[in-house]
Amino acid sequence: MSGPKIVNGSDGYILQDVPHLIDYLPDLPTYPNPLQDNPAYSVVKQYFVDADDSVPEKVVVHKDGPRGIHFRRAGPRQKVYFDSDEVHACIVTCGGLCPGLNTVIREIVSSLSCMYGANRILGIDGGYRGFYAKNTIPLNSKVVNVIHKRGGTILGTSRGGHDTTKIVDSIQDRGINQVYIIGGDGTQRGASAIYEEIRRRGLKVAVVGIPKTIDNDIPVIDRSFGFDTAVEEAQRAINAAHVEAESNENGIGFVKLMGRYSGFIAMYATLASRDVDCCLIPESPFYLKGEGGLLEFIERRLKEYGHMVIVLAEGAGQELMSKSMESNTDASGNKLLKDVGLWLSQNIKDHFKKIKMVMNLKYIDPTYMIRAVPSNASDNVYCTLLAQSAVHGAMAGYTGFTSGLVNGRQTYIPFYRITEKHNHVVITDRMWARLLSSTNQPSFLGPKDIAEEKKETTEKLPTDGEKCDGGIDIPPVTKEISK
């Protein structure tokens, strides 16, 4: 297995670089980038990204601190490692649905054909197993022209089905030399395995990932595509819950949103709507009964206002459910969660029945409606940038990377950084404090819990020269940048 590619420079500069085809195929020829003759780029003052451009992982630094970790800046390069007529690309979508999938597909096809004049592009039908179990779909600008207006993915998707040997055999047999893989952290781990096998076989094939998770739980990147759309759609469900709650005696509008491990959609939708009285996420434990518990808070809020809205991320409160209700994993290895929303709704109803207090609860689960909608304007623009950056990187010979936005700049991120952990809401951070002040809900944490959370967060912070963000050991210097 190839190790991380690290470049160290002066003043604590660290570049977590991505692999390149010439790392194992040193004699590859180069070609002038066709963009220099593209009329669309004739107005650009600087066609190409400088080879030494990089983007810092952290923007806020101390004046005397190290420059820190950087990623290679995305964009077109002056020389490319694929002749346009030589390119034979494929695109695959894996995992659950997410707004923007079709937009990414469309822009990969458009970028290859309109920018680089590459016209042999295949869609892999049905996720990873489509490489060896299903037919391919020929793609061109006409086929993908209006697909961005539709939800879902025209290529179909599935979970599991990853067989590295079979997939690389199919890539090799079909003569494919650029592979674009759209999916979440599990999908990106599969993409990393495909890259390693391709490198082991010495094939001239660029493997590029585009991170997709509606939960926004992929690390390093600013956000994942489809997240803005999900928050916008979630607000509609919250608004409906608020109307229902206001219109009934002691009404409770209860909305369950996506968020298996991370509560970003629930948190941002709560902040955006301003109609929520209580937001429950996986990162912030809560308890039901007793002083300071959720049931007591609900009872107090209803007596005070006569109605309330609760937003719950699907992964919150799973530990409260009985051991007998624990579940297995799906084909992607994700734990199959029980419906904590229905369980919690029933507990709330039982509590108010026990204390003989009138209460009307309306339960809303818009999960599949949110996942299936087309992306909004913000996500459409973002999908375009991700797709174009991915194509620029592949044409420039980079491989084994994910295209992602870091501090507002498009970058190339090595696979191991994308798959190292899940991104979580930090409940000792200012954003969660903003939510608590907006909803006026208790944190459901005691002083001891808060102290432990702060200690855990502090312990995860890297020390100079020891670990990068996320606890990845930095290997020895492999190259020095000239000062």
Side-chain angles (χ1 to χ4, degrees):
M1 182 176 176
S2 59
K5 191 175 178 182
I6 306 294
V7 180
N8 284 29
S10 61
D11 301 319
Y13 174 93
I14 300 169
L15 174 65
Q16 292 188 344
D17 206 357
V18 297
H20 196 281
L21 292 172
I22 60 173
D23 292 344
Y24 61 95
L25 297 172
D27 299 323
L28 289 180
T30 61
Y31 309 91
N33 194 320
L35 285 180
Q36 65 189 13
D37 301 317
N38 190 311
Y41 271 69
S42 63
V43 297
V44 180
K45 290 183 179 180
Q46 183 183 350
Y47 283 179
F48 306 115
V49 172
D50 190 279
D52 290 331
D53 282 359
S54 63
V55 177
E57 180 176 12
K58 294 184 182 297
V59 172
V60 180
V61 296
H62 297 293
K63 63 178 182 178
D64 298 323
R67 293 169 64 192
I69 294 168
H70 289 62
F71 300 108
R72 188 169 290 279
R73 184 185 174 193
R77 265 57 180 180
Q78 194 164 1
K79 296 290 184 181
V80 295
Y81 283 78
F82 291 92
D83 182 70
S84 299
D85 294 333
E86 171 195 7
V87 173
H88 189 192
C90 73
I91 307 169
V92 63
T93 54
C94 305
L97 294 183
C98 175
L101 281 169
N102 279 333
T103 307
V104 174
I105 295 168
R106 182 188 189 279
E107 293 310 316
I108 291 174
V109 173
S110 297
S111 298
L112 283 167
S113 59
C114 299
M115 289 185 183
Y116 289 98
N119 295 307
R120 288 196 298 165
I121 310 166
L122 293 176
I124 304 299
D125 185 10
Y128 274 136
R129 62 171 52 90
F131 276 101
Y132 53 85
K134 291 192 176 184
N135 293 327
T136 58
I137 303 168
L139 299 175
N140 55 48
S141 296
K142 184 177 180 180
V143 171
V144 302
N145 187 40
V146 295
I147 63 173
H148 61 290
K149 298 179 181 179
R150 295 161 46 186
T153 165
I154 63 163
L155 300 181
T157 186
S158 66
R159 297 188 184 276
H162 187 277
D163 186 316
T164 304
T165 302
K166 286 184 178 180
I167 291 171
V168 177
D169 285 346
S170 175
I171 290 170
Q172 193 169 3
D173 292 344
R174 296 177 190 274
I176 292 169
N177 51 26
Q178 290 185 11
V179 183
Y180 297 92
I181 301 173
I182 310 167
D185 58 335
T187 301
Q188 301 302 311
R189 278 193 290 272
S192 181
I194 292 170
Y195 156 71
E196 293 291 348
E197 177 62 17
I198 283 172
R199 179 169 180 150
R200 189 188 68 79
R201 297 189 190 187
L203 305 177
K204 184 188 176 183
V205 179
V207 180
V208 181
I210 296 176
K212 177 230 63 165
T213 168
I214 202 168
D215 293 346
N216 198 38
D217 61 0
I218 289 181
V220 182
I221 61 175
D222 293 356
R223 71 179 191 278
S224 52
F225 74 83
F227 176 70
D228 276 358
T229 306
V231 171
E232 190 173 296
E233 289 297 312
Q235 282 188 87
R236 302 182 196 277
I238 292 172
N239 182 59
H242 187 239
V243 171
E244 288 284 352
E246 277 192 317
S247 302
N248 288 276
E249 182 183 1
N250 288 335
I252 298 177
F254 196 126
V255 182
K256 188 188 83 170
L257 298 174
M258 295 82 75
R260 180 183 296 271
Y261 305 109
S262 306
F264 286 104
I265 291 178
M267 180 173 71
Y268 277 83
T270 294
L271 281 167
S273 73
R274 302 288 171 174
D275 287 330
V276 179
D277 299 276
C278 185
C279 177
L280 304 171
I281 62 173
E283 296 90 339
S284 184
F286 65 93
Y287 53 98
L288 288 181
K289 300 177 181 178
E291 185 179 353
L294 178 63
L295 295 176
E296 183 194 64
F297 171 68
I298 294 172
E299 185 180 333
R300 186 171 71 249
R301 185 58 63 94
L302 286 181
K303 288 177 179 178
E304 187 175 357
Y305 292 99
H307 68 276
M308 74 177 298
V309 175
I310 301 172
V311 168
L312 171 80
E314 62 181 319
Q318 291 286 326
E319 70 282 355
L320 299 177
M321 303 173 77
S322 66
K323 293 290 183 182
S324 62
M325 298 180 74
E326 287 185 357
S327 53
N328 298 317
T329 58
D330 63 18
S332 296
N334 298 312
K335 185 178 179 181
L336 288 170
L337 302 179
K338 293 295 183 179
D339 195 333
V340 68
L342 288 174
W343 177 84
L344 191 52
S345 297
Q346 189 59 52
N347 272 268
I348 294 171
K349 291 176 182 177
D350 291 344
H351 171 76
F352 282 91
K353 184 177 181 181
K354 183 178 179 181
I355 65 173
K356 298 180 180 180
M357 179 177 169
V358 175
M359 186 276 300
N360 291 284
L361 186 146
K362 309 297 182 184
Y363 179 62
I364 299 174
D365 182 355
T367 298
Y368 294 105
M369 294 174 66
I370 292 173
R371 285 171 29 147
V373 300
S375 53
N376 64 12
S378 173
D379 274 325
N380 266 336
V381 173
Y382 185 29
C383 289
T384 300
L385 297 177
L386 286 171
Q388 290 186 0
S389 296
V391 171
H392 290 319
M395 291 298 295
Y398 294 109
T399 182
F401 72 89
T402 294
S403 170
L405 192 71
V406 177
N407 294 320
R409 294 286 185 177
Q410 293 295 322
T411 63
Y412 299 142
I413 306 166
F415 280 139
Y416 68 86
R417 287 303 313 274
I418 293 294
T419 60
E420 67 189 8
K421 63 177 182 177
H422 286 107
N423 194 25
H424 293 290
V425 173
V426 179
I427 60 171
T428 54
D429 198 11
R430 289 184 179 86
M431 188 59 78
W432 184 244
R434 293 180 183 113
L435 179 139
L436 294 179
S437 65
S438 171
T439 61
N440 201 27
Q441 71 185 65
S443 67
F444 299 112
L445 291 175
K448 183 180 178 182
D449 297 316
I450 293 174
E452 289 179 357
E453 182 69 26
K454 285 185 176 179
K455 180 182 177 183
E456 184 179 342
T457 304
T458 303
E459 287 175 350
K460 288 180 180 179
L461 293 175
T463 56
D464 293 349
E466 280 189 350
K467 293 178 180 290
C468 66
D469 185 46
I472 295 295
D473 290 327
I474 297 173
V477 177
T478 55
K479 180 181 176 184
E480 288 288 341
I481 292 182
S482 58
K483 298 182 180 179

